[in-house]
Amino acid sequence: MDAGTFAVEARIEATHWWFVGRRRLFAREIARAGVPATARVLDVGTSTGTNLRMLRDLGFAEVEGLDLSEQAIRYCAEKGLGPVRRGDICAMPFAGSSFDLVLATDVIEHVEDDALALRETARVLEPGGAAIVTVPAFQTLYGLQDRVARHRRRYLKRDLAAKIRAAGLELRDIYYFNYLLFLPIWLARRLMDLFGARFESEAELNSPVLNWILGRVFAMDVLSARLLSPPFGVSLFAIARKPA
């Protein structure tokens, strides 16, 4: 990501509606998967520490982070979240079968070879271990946030499912989320492109009142997305297992 985008995220991730709601979704799915607090957990692409914050709050003790950005690692250290090692998801510095749970959330869209990234995720998983993968969805939503975050692509459900299976993982569930805000976000991004709006991050377009409103909407969204399995969404969630 751009340096300014990291700075914005580091400042707001603890309270911003998107990060708060996403952590709720991940926590719920980790519990549903039956992952114990004693599990060895890897957060790949820590960014400024949003998942590490969640894992700490959930009571996980054996947690490692991995990120390619020295800036991201520094932000995590400043928040007391870690340890975080510097490394590439396509060549992770860990032995095979090292982790019971791997989080690769909004990571593989940044790399050229997403298939290799998923194979590496499978390699470091213990047989029977779980991987949680999220990506941005629908290329029609490509806009300012994708550019400042340096996304190479957005995904459809069938494409991500095929890539996960090709990596040797058993797909357990996959669904779109952030579907309630799909149309407003699409419209906002088209207007920003039309008028040439420039921000370090879309997360800057917020206020306490807006954050409260969107937080309530997103809370309903992540609570219902798996049950309703909507045909569209701004993001895509998948959970898979490594064959035992």
Side-chain angles (χ1 to χ4, degrees):
M1 292 196 296
D2 292 345
T5 308
F6 272 126
V8 172
E9 181 179 315
R11 187 175 70 249
I12 57 91
E13 58 84 17
T15 58
H16 189 277
W17 64 270
W18 162 252
F19 293 102
V20 171
R22 204 175 64 138
R23 285 193 293 266
R24 285 190 185 126
L25 171 63
F26 298 163
R28 190 177 299 117
E29 289 288 355
I30 289 169
R32 194 165 71 90
V35 180
T38 54
R40 299 162 298 166
V41 184
L42 173 64
D43 181 28
V44 187
T46 61
S47 191
T48 63
T50 181
N51 286 345
L52 294 176
R53 178 186 302 280
M54 173 196 68
L55 293 166
R56 179 197 63 191
D57 293 347
L58 290 176
F60 286 96
E62 291 191 60
V63 177
E64 290 204 53
L66 185 74
D67 204 287
L68 196 57
S69 167
E70 293 284 4
Q71 186 181 8
I73 294 169
R74 186 173 68 253
Y75 280 126
C76 290
E78 289 172 356
K79 296 176 184 181
L81 300 170
V84 182
R85 296 174 64 173
R86 189 170 189 271
D88 187 343
I89 189 174
C90 292
M92 289 195 268
F94 304 110
S97 304
S98 293
F99 300 98
D100 304 300
L101 172 65
V102 175
L103 301 175
T105 60
D106 291 277
V107 178
I108 67 170
E109 69 273 14
H110 293 271
V111 302
E112 183 174 354
D113 194 343
D114 54 356
L116 176 58
L118 288 168
R119 289 199 300 273
E120 271 291 276
T121 299
R123 181 185 67 81
V124 301
L125 264 180
E126 180 78 16
I132 288 177
V133 179
T134 63
V135 293
F138 288 91
Q139 197 64 25
T140 187
L141 285 169
Y142 196 95
L144 180 142
Q145 191 63 28
D146 298 281
R147 292 190 290 273
V148 299
R150 302 184 186 180
H151 293 167
R152 293 176 180 268
R153 67 192 74 82
R154 300 180 73 93
Y155 293 77
L156 295 176
K157 186 190 291 187
R158 63 176 179 270
D159 301 325
L160 181 61
K163 288 175 183 287
I164 288 172
R165 292 187 178 108
L169 296 170
E170 296 175 346
L171 188 63
R172 294 301 178 92
D173 209 349
I174 185 168
Y175 54 86
Y176 294 111
F177 69 100
N178 202 6
Y179 65 96
L180 293 174
L181 294 171
F182 183 95
L183 185 56
I185 288 173
W186 179 86
L187 181 59
R189 289 181 176 177
R190 299 293 68 80
L191 289 173
M192 283 191 283
D193 286 349
L194 179 64
F195 292 106
R198 295 290 180 267
F199 300 95
E200 297 288 359
S201 170
E202 288 179 359
E204 292 180 281
L205 303 174
N206 203 16
S207 72
V209 172
L210 185 60
N211 195 61
W212 185 89
I213 293 170
L214 293 178
R216 298 305 183 273
V217 173
F218 197 39
M220 290 188 291
D221 187 296
V222 298
L223 189 62
S224 60
R226 184 180 68 84
L227 298 173
L228 297 178
S229 191
F232 57 84
V234 179
S235 295
L236 186 54
F237 175 96
I239 185 166
R241 291 271 185 186
K242 184 174 181 177

